[in-house]
Amino acid sequence: MHLKQHTDYSLRILMYVARKREALVSAREISEAYGISYSHTVKVVNKLGKLGYLDLKRGRYGGGIQLAAEPETINLATVVEQFESHLNVVECFDPDTNTCTLAGNCKLHGALQQAMNAFIDSLAQKTLADLVGPQKTTPNPVS
């Protein structure tokens, strides 16, 4: 499984903005923090805004980016599915473009579909809050 670059960036951007809950952040700040090209950052930020995850405030002096929803309500599987045009691991997952001669007689398709479902199911159990929530610290051992 390989996620598109914009899908990866969308999750990272959401994490960054969630960690800065009290402040407006800029696309430039995010771009520099993660070493992502500014133009890619702007594209992903705009899509996240259109999808309702981010609040985008325009303006040189009062503008910036904030979360538009609570981190607990932002499901990771939903974000991934909205950024991926398809989750076809192999060509036989898409009946419109499938040219595999084993189609219909291959157990690999079922095994890969099961793995893909497990991947999405696992992400469906996680929210943005799980990625940015309070860090658990381990107690210092007593000497």
Side-chain angles (χ1 to χ4, degrees):
M1 176 68 202
H2 181 81
L3 296 177
K4 289 187 215 168
Q5 207 172 40
H6 279 199
T7 306
D8 176 29
Y9 293 168
S10 71
L11 296 169
R12 289 201 243 171
I13 289 167
L14 288 171
M15 289 169 58
Y16 189 89
V17 176
R19 286 189 182 114
K20 305 275 187 166
R21 290 299 305 266
E22 303 305 316
L24 289 171
V25 298
S26 70
R28 177 82 54 208
E29 179 184 339
I30 297 167
S31 169
E32 291 172 1
Y34 287 137
I36 300 171
S37 93
Y38 177 71
S39 63
H40 284 322
T41 302
V42 168
K43 286 177 188 174
V44 174
V45 163
N46 284 329
K47 183 168 181 177
L48 287 167
K50 288 179 184 170
L51 291 170
Y53 295 114
L54 296 179
D55 225 354
L56 310 178
K57 296 173 174 58
R58 297 200 183 272
R60 181 178 286 269
Y61 299 106
I65 304 161
Q66 285 185 310
L67 278 182
E70 292 300 316
E72 297 80 14
T73 67
I74 299 175
N75 183 275
L76 300 184
T78 303
V79 175
V80 167
E81 289 170 334
Q82 288 173 319
F83 272 82
E84 292 292 320
S85 55
H86 62 76
L87 292 170
N88 298 336
V89 179
V90 290
E91 83 171 286
C92 63
F93 277 35
D94 184 352
D96 294 334
T97 60
N98 182 18
T99 60
C100 179
T101 57
L102 300 176
N105 296 316
C106 178
K107 293 184 181 184
L108 179 61
H109 176 89
L112 292 174
Q113 185 65 57
Q114 185 178 10
M116 180 56 58
N117 292 345
F119 172 74
I120 293 299
D121 290 346
S122 175
L123 286 177
Q125 303 300 315
K126 302 287 183 193
T127 68
L128 182 58
D130 294 318
L131 302 180
V132 299
Q135 300 294 320
K136 294 182 180 177
T137 57
T138 55
N140 291 331
V142 178
S143 303

